[in-house]
Amino acid sequence: MARISVTCMDGARLEFDDAALAGTGAMKDVYFAPDKSYVIGFLRQKPDVNSMERLQNLVTAYRTGIMDGPGGDYWAKMFCWPTHLIEHKGKVGIALPAYEKHFFFQHGSKNADFLGIKGREKEGKWFASANHQQRSLDARERGTWINYLQVSIKIARAIRRMHAAGLAHSDLSYKNVLIDPAGGNACIIDVDSLVVPRRFPPDVVGTPDFIAPEVMATLRIPVGDPRRKLPCRETDQHALAILIYMYLLYRHPLRGGKIHDQDPQRDEELAMGERALFIENPTDWSNRPNLSDIRPGYFPFADPAKIPYNVCGPYLKQLFDQAFITGLHDPEQRPTADDWERALTKTVDLVQPCSNPECDQKWYVFDNSTRPKCPFCNSQFKGLLPILNLYSSRAGGRYLPENHRIMVYSDQYLYPWHVNRSIVPNEQTSNDDKRPVGYFLFHGGTWWFRNQRIPAIRSIKSGRIYSPDDLVPILDDEQILLDPSPGGRLIHVQLTNK
């Protein structure tokens, strides 16, 4: 073992252990620092002038713009961003922070870690199929369905910030995203592959399953030909939609049963390229999965008839339609990362805990039907359910509907962003705004809201004012004003007995 000291291009001094190989990939070999707080990855091929300039910009201007800007501490956890550029013995290296501990398997797979993955990185692929996630992993690693909504929010938020900086990932996939479902955490890795469209071209075209159709359809066209489509923001948007779909439904949205060509390679190019077709397209069923070809471990999620994509709720269904129908072959129509972040955040307000303690997913989106049930285990919902329809104030003092509702469950919290629409849950949310303002409870046959921090809640019907520490009854057809200031919200209650 030899501890080797290197001088970075910016003058910083770093060390690595040449016997402590952290990992190898197609592009680089990665070594741990002696204290394992960071790693140094040496590229196997020396970058050309353009690639060197791109890497220098990533560790300087782009890193400073994101990490030293608003929410910088938040982004430092969301990206494994390169910090230094190094030249050592004719090789170019990049220094990167080490992954946080929760991104390594603590328990691994079932049956005393029969797959031997304990201590390995939580590559997103482990959680993107029913066979891997439910059949192989220890239950303590898997998390619940609401955790995958939280993970998806964080991935969308990180991609939104990256795009705002004028960058594209170029290889966004479950191989380049680490997730920790049990803790609701995510981290974008392989940031050294980021590109600046029309300035710094990509080194790779992407990972199979996530390459956009227009890129796949033009792979055979030489680089430099204007007809060749390269990774950019819109191709990231395609990959992001696939990631979210797979984390919530454990199947691929385009891999169905349709055969386009007898040659496997040509069939793959067509299926993921110019003839790509959503497996749940409502007007063309020709790419529905061939269930007889699917192994038992992938069910029931492999069957869209059993668990259709509308189980994700109305906000996400709309974006899946936009991503995989209208925008599949029209990149400009694809939902943005910001669209996904907002829709996912609203979807969290629609979830209910499953009443079945044996349910693997534990949570589901309440569909507001006459006979609601968990789509994952078919357990019927029973009880009295408050549905809170949100209205917010606009100019002139009018309260207008927002197409946003909250499905109440016991011990559910409300936060400042529920009270006033001008507060947005994101990387800039203050510590005070992360604190709940109250919670719901069911007692004596009635639903109540325990007001903890809202200065004055007013019942529109009775005119009564509820102060902090008061219990506010949640009654059918009640209108409750949470905040009279601009952007403040009013709640209209629907009480249903299922």
Side-chain angles (χ1 to χ4, degrees):
M1 180 178 74
R3 179 179 294 190
I4 297 174
S5 179
V6 293
T7 301
C8 304
M9 293 183 186
D10 61 2
R13 296 286 296 175
L14 296 177
E15 294 181 329
F16 71 94
D17 182 348
D18 68 349
L21 190 65
T24 61
M27 305 291 288
K28 55 184 177 287
D29 299 309
V30 182
Y31 298 87
F32 278 115
D35 65 357
K36 295 191 175 182
S37 64
Y38 62 89
V39 298
I40 295 178
F42 288 101
L43 302 176
R44 291 185 173 178
Q45 292 189 350
K46 191 167 184 176
D48 59 23
V49 173
N50 187 73
S51 295
M52 275 301 285
E53 185 182 356
R54 176 175 60 82
L55 289 170
Q56 287 171 335
N57 275 273
L58 286 175
V59 301
T60 55
Y62 289 113
R63 184 176 184 276
T64 299
I66 292 176
M67 300 305 168
D68 292 350
D73 290 342
Y74 182 90
W75 299 128
K77 296 180 180 295
M78 289 300 305
F79 293 101
C80 186
W81 203 283
T83 57
H84 302 278
L85 200 55
I86 301 158
E87 278 193 292
H88 177 67
K89 292 186 176 180
K91 290 188 175 183
V92 173
I94 51 174
L96 301 148
Y99 303 147
E100 295 189 75
K101 289 182 179 180
H102 52 246
F103 290 121
F104 295 89
F105 283 112
Q106 182 179 357
H107 307 285
S109 52
K110 291 181 176 179
N111 303 324
D113 191 28
F114 77 101
L115 292 176
I117 60 173
K118 186 176 179 180
R120 285 171 54 183
E121 300 159 8
K122 293 182 181 178
E123 187 179 290
K125 189 172 184 177
W126 284 105
F127 306 95
S129 80
N131 190 61
H132 277 145
Q133 197 240 66
Q134 295 179 74
R135 303 289 176 174
S136 299
L137 292 183
D138 187 292
R140 291 168 290 185
E141 304 281 12
R142 297 201 310 258
T144 64
W145 202 70
I146 196 172
N147 294 135
Y148 290 88
L149 288 172
Q150 295 164 342
V151 163
S152 297
I153 288 171
K154 290 187 175 180
I155 296 172
R157 186 172 291 157
I159 301 305
R160 183 253 296 162
R161 181 64 185 92
M162 191 176 66
H163 287 174
L167 298 166
H169 192 284
S170 83
D171 192 16
L172 184 63
S173 73
Y174 47 41
K175 290 183 69 66
N176 293 327
V177 177
L178 300 178
I179 70 171
D180 165 38
N185 299 302
C187 181
I188 311 297
I189 64 174
D190 278 357
V191 176
D192 52 293
S193 68
L194 293 186
V195 301
V196 183
R198 293 178 296 277
R199 184 180 177 194
F200 297 126
D203 293 326
V204 295
V205 296
T207 298
D209 279 347
F210 297 90
I211 301 173
E214 64 274 16
V215 174
M216 181 66 78
T218 61
L219 280 178
R220 296 175 184 263
I221 298 175
V223 175
D225 189 311
R227 296 173 298 165
R228 175 77 180 261
K229 302 299 181 183
L230 296 174
C232 59
R233 185 185 67 175
E234 289 77 15
T235 62
D236 280 353
Q237 290 168 354
H238 174 76
L240 175 61
I242 289 178
L243 271 176
I244 294 169
Y245 184 93
M246 294 188 76
Y247 284 145
L248 296 179
L249 295 165
Y250 314 128
R251 59 178 181 253
H252 195 282
L254 305 180
R255 292 201 176 279
K258 191 169 187 176
I259 303 297
H260 302 276
D261 196 284
Q262 293 306 308
D263 176 63
Q265 181 177 346
R266 182 59 180 156
D267 182 64
E268 172 75 5
E269 291 176 2
L270 292 171
M272 295 292 110
E274 64 183 86
R275 297 183 192 173
L277 178 65
F278 185 31
I279 63 172
E280 299 188 74
N281 188 306
T283 61
D284 186 344
W285 287 42
S286 62
N287 197 33
R288 286 292 193 270
N290 186 347
L291 302 183
S292 63
D293 294 337
I294 298 171
R295 289 181 291 175
Y298 290 89
F299 288 98
F301 291 94
D303 185 357
K306 297 288 186 184
I307 302 181
Y309 71 124
N310 61 14
V311 304
C312 297
Y315 310 126
L316 295 181
K317 179 187 180 299
Q318 180 181 345
L319 293 192
F320 285 137
D321 286 341
Q322 193 177 333
F324 302 132
I325 301 175
T326 59
L328 185 58
H329 297 285
D330 185 356
E332 293 184 359
Q333 299 298 317
R334 291 172 188 159
T336 65
D338 185 54
D339 292 333
W340 285 110
E341 184 182 354
R342 285 187 277 108
L344 288 158
T345 300
K346 290 169 67 175
T347 299
V348 170
D349 288 334
L350 298 181
V351 298
Q352 282 283 304
C354 181
S355 60
N356 174 13
E358 302 302 317
C359 178
D360 281 335
Q361 305 305 314
K362 307 298 183 189
W363 296 85
Y364 65 97
V365 170
F366 190 88
D367 63 4
N368 203 30
S369 66
T370 55
R371 296 181 61 81
K373 63 180 180 180
C374 171
F376 306 120
C377 71
N378 294 317
S379 298
Q380 296 283 337
F381 177 89
K382 296 180 181 179
L384 198 63
L385 174 71
I387 302 172
L388 312 182
N389 297 287
L390 301 188
Y391 293 72
S392 62
S393 63
R394 303 292 201 278
R398 294 186 305 156
Y399 285 84
L400 301 178
E402 295 191 65
N403 186 30
H404 186 175
R405 54 177 36 178
I406 299 172
M407 303 296 183
V408 173
Y409 55 87
S410 186
D411 294 327
Q412 180 185 17
Y413 289 108
L414 282 190
Y415 290 88
W417 54 83
H418 295 120
V419 176
N420 193 298
R421 68 191 297 267
S422 65
I423 301 171
V424 180
N426 60 25
E427 70 281 0
Q428 297 186 50
T429 305
S430 68
N431 288 332
D432 188 59
D433 283 341
K434 291 176 183 178
R435 295 171 53 218
V437 296
Y439 61 92
F440 295 94
L441 66 153
F442 187 71
H443 179 72
T446 299
W447 279 99
W448 305 85
F449 176 70
R450 168 72 75 180
N451 179 19
Q452 293 178 300
R453 297 204 298 134
I454 302 175
I457 296 175
R458 181 162 65 92
S459 164
I460 300 299
K461 282 190 173 182
S462 69
R464 179 174 173 180
I465 302 296
Y466 296 90
S467 302
D469 292 329
D470 284 345
L471 281 171
V472 183
I474 305 300
L475 306 174
D476 190 40
D477 203 35
E478 177 67 280
Q479 295 180 44
I480 302 170
L481 181 60
L482 299 177
D483 182 357
S485 66
R489 286 210 169 97
L490 179 145
I491 289 173
H492 178 229
V493 180
Q494 290 176 262
L495 210 56
T496 60
N497 197 344
K498 303 297 184 183

